Amino acid sequence: MSFSGKVVVITGASDGIGAALARRLAPERPRLILAARALKGLEAVAQECRGLGAEAVAVRADVGLEADCKQLVDKAVENFGGLDILVNNAGITAHALFEEIEDFSIFERVMQVNFYGTLWCTRHALPHLRKSRGLLVGVSSLIGRTGVPSRSAYAASKWAVGGLFDCLRVELMDSGVEVCLVYPGVVATGIRQRGLDKAGQVMGASGLREEGAMSAEECARQMAEAIRARRRELLLTPRGKLIPWLRLFAPRLLDRLAAAVLKRRTEHEQNT
């Protein structure tokens, strides 16, 4: 599939994976609707994409609000006459052991953006995607395939995204609309620095060791090729591709590997 002339909505496009994906697609001259809460950064990304050959419109939208999700889809149709691809990329994370959490509203806040933002954008985009026989893209996480300590709120929201899209894939099987689920691992973006701590406050620093993290550009490259091929799912990183097999054949080993994440996090906190 060529992206030339395709109308593509990308949420969370002001930086990180969303911005990298927009820049990756831009040379093929798609028509981009880029959404985020930070309009200043979003406009800069849109301008870069125009310089690379795309048409690009920046739309300030908080996907945690259904009205903003509807307005975003309406803008795509108003500007470009339809919609071909929806990339549900916007997200927020949280880092805290379950028993240490002081403000349990972080579960609601994380779910509001990660799950309900995806749900609402998909709800309003789907009639237009049916017309174009388009593509729904959900961005989950490897934590949406196996939980790790201190990420219960984030994992719950990403498992929910996976469950929703697995259902939609079957429901839409004969509609011409296809579903692609992307499972990134640790990617070098600002999402962890902007994540929530046990008190519901912005962390300001990553709770993970990020040596060897995948770049946003490499993540976007692999995502673009998966979208182009209309793949069912994309598991990023070699370790990530082992998760389904470990869950099936060595679940206790997978649990021990997940527990090792907590040990590395503790060591990281002691050294920072």
Side-chain angles (χ1 to χ4, degrees):
M1 180 181 69
S2 169
F3 293 106
S4 177
K6 298 294 185 185
V7 181
V8 185
V9 171
I10 305 174
T11 66
S14 60
D15 63 5
I17 295 171
L21 180 61
R23 289 190 291 263
R24 184 81 192 183
L25 302 185
E28 293 190 40
R29 300 183 180 277
R31 294 180 285 179
L32 301 173
I33 294 284
L34 306 179
R37 291 184 299 171
L39 188 57
K40 184 177 179 180
L42 194 63
E43 288 283 10
V45 175
Q47 187 59 39
E48 285 185 79
C49 291
R50 294 183 200 112
L52 291 167
E55 295 180 65
V57 176
V59 178
R60 187 192 179 284
D62 180 350
V63 298
L65 303 172
E66 184 176 5
D68 281 20
C69 296
K70 182 179 185 303
Q71 180 188 27
L72 172 61
V73 173
D74 289 346
K75 283 282 188 182
V77 176
E78 176 186 321
N79 279 272
F80 299 125
L83 177 59
D84 297 296
I85 302 168
L86 169 64
V87 182
N88 291 287
N89 170 71
I92 185 174
T93 190
H95 290 254
L97 293 174
F98 186 82
E99 291 185 303
E100 294 179 352
I101 294 173
E102 300 167 3
D103 179 2
F104 270 84
S105 72
I106 67 172
F107 278 84
E108 297 176 27
R109 292 162 67 186
V110 172
M111 191 67 75
Q112 192 83 0
V113 174
N114 295 356
F115 175 69
Y116 281 103
T118 296
L119 172 70
W120 288 328
C121 286
T122 298
R123 173 193 175 185
H124 294 290
L126 193 51
H128 305 287
L129 292 172
R130 278 184 172 273
K131 291 177 183 177
S132 66
R133 301 176 71 85
L135 182 67
L136 267 171
V137 181
V139 179
S140 181
S141 166
L142 292 180
I143 292 174
R145 296 299 292 263
T146 187
V148 298
S150 79
R151 307 298 297 282
S152 54
Y154 185 67
S157 70
K158 292 301 188 178
W159 277 85
V161 168
L164 171 66
F165 271 52
D166 280 346
C167 290
L168 287 174
R169 181 184 293 109
V170 179
E171 291 182 17
L172 296 170
M173 192 175 292
D174 297 321
S175 70
V177 178
E178 294 183 88
V179 172
C180 175
L181 261 171
V182 179
Y183 294 92
V186 179
V187 179
T189 71
I191 188 172
R192 285 166 294 280
Q193 288 80 359
R194 294 189 296 269
L196 306 176
D197 64 15
K198 63 183 180 181
Q201 302 300 310
V202 175
M203 292 183 65
S206 176
L208 298 176
R209 294 173 58 181
E210 298 190 10
E211 299 88 352
M214 179 179 287
S215 69
E217 290 71 25
E218 175 58 19
C219 181
R221 184 192 70 78
Q222 294 193 41
M223 283 179 64
E225 293 311 306
I227 293 169
R228 187 190 306 282
R230 296 170 76 97
R231 285 178 54 179
R232 185 178 188 275
E233 68 177 24
L234 171 64
L235 283 164
L236 289 155
T237 79
R239 289 182 181 179
K241 292 171 184 176
L242 289 174
I243 288 174
W245 301 103
L246 290 174
R247 286 186 66 84
L248 186 61
F249 296 112
R252 291 184 182 276
L253 173 60
L254 186 59
D255 287 347
R256 287 196 292 271
L257 293 172
V261 173
L262 178 60
K263 180 179 179 181
R264 291 197 298 272
R265 177 194 173 200
T266 302
E267 292 173 348
H268 175 68
E269 289 174 344
Q270 290 172 346
N271 294 326
T272 56

